[in-house]
Amino acid sequence: MPMPWTYRHASKEWRAILDDLKDRMDLVSDNSAYTALDGVFQVFRRRLTAQQGLDFASVLPAIPRAIFVAGWKPDDKPVPFADRRIMPREAQQVRPHHNLTPDNAIEAVAWTIRRYTNKADLQRVLECLPPGAVQFWHVDGADPREIAPRIF
């Protein structure tokens, strides 16, 4: 089997992901985009068991996959999904003194992640996760051409 594209071109893919995140959230620095992504991932994984989190991470590109699992304490009991309009506040509490995460962070991260994942694999995994997971990663009114794979 050939090496997966996401491993062979991880730096190129990560650069494109950061650029999309900055554009979608109107951020200017890679650090701010990374913090927003990490915050959104932490909000999501707080609602999953370890196995569910690993299943989700398995469909992510290489660097976001590493970010998703970094520092996770999977022994914590999952919490239920909240209203998606409220959950960005949780993401804004990650590194609160260095956090410029905007209110549209979940939607922006969802849009970007959908652009860099296999749509069928992502949907298959989301449908096996707790209620609220599909809605968490839903992108309202996105033109399928906009979220088509950028690099693949």
Side-chain angles (χ1 to χ4, degrees), residues 9-23:
H9 302 284
S11 294
K12 180 179 180 181
E13 183 178 51
W14 178 235
R15 173 78 267 147
I17 290 169
L18 283 173
D19 289 344
D20 279 349
L21 287 169
K22 289 189 303 188
D23 287 348

Side-chain angles (χ1 to χ4, degrees), residues 89-121:
R89 303 294 172 267
E90 287 181 48
Q92 293 164 343
Q93 294 305 309
V94 174
R95 289 181 293 285
H97 302 294
H98 306 284
N99 193 322
L100 301 173
T101 299
D103 291 340
N104 74 331
I106 293 174
E107 182 177 338
V109 171
W111 185 93
T112 301
I113 289 302
R114 286 188 171 278
R115 196 170 197 193
Y116 295 92
T117 57
N118 177 291
K119 308 298 180 271
D121 290 345

Side-chain angles (χ1 to χ4, degrees), residues 3-146:
M3 182 187 311
W5 194 97
T6 191
Y7 297 151
R8 184 174 298 279
H9 302 284
S11 294
K12 180 179 180 181
E13 183 178 51
W14 178 235
R15 173 78 267 147
I17 290 169
L18 283 173
D19 289 344
D20 279 349
L21 287 169
K22 289 189 303 188
D23 287 348
R24 301 299 296 183
M25 292 185 277
D26 199 26
L27 297 170
V28 296
S29 79
D30 291 349
N31 292 334
S32 295
Y34 161 79
T35 297
L37 174 70
D38 185 34
V40 169
F41 279 171
Q42 287 186 42
V43 169
F44 185 67
R45 77 182 188 203
R46 231 179 250 131
R47 287 150 173 87
L48 306 177
T49 66
Q51 186 60 59
Q52 291 167 336
L54 292 173
D55 292 344
F56 175 76
S58 74
V59 300
L60 295 175
I63 294 175
R65 182 181 309 165
I67 294 167
F68 185 83
V69 299
W72 188 12
K73 294 179 179 33
D75 293 335
D76 294 345
K77 183 177 173 159
V79 299
F81 280 89
D83 186 296
R84 187 167 158 189
R85 294 171 297 187
I86 297 168
M87 289 186 286
R89 303 294 172 267
E90 287 181 48
Q92 293 164 343
Q93 294 305 309
V94 174
R95 289 181 293 285
H97 302 294
H98 306 284
N99 193 322
L100 301 173
T101 299
D103 291 340
N104 74 331
I106 293 174
E107 182 177 338
V109 171
W111 185 93
T112 301
I113 289 302
R114 286 188 171 278
R115 196 170 197 193
Y116 295 92
T117 57
N118 177 291
K119 308 298 180 271
D121 290 345
L122 178 62
Q123 195 61 33
R124 175 186 44 77
V125 167
L126 290 176
E127 289 173 359
C128 294
L129 298 179
V134 171
Q135 182 58 35
F136 188 94
W137 293 105
H138 177 74
V139 178
D140 285 329
D143 181 338
R145 292 171 296 184
E146 279 188 339

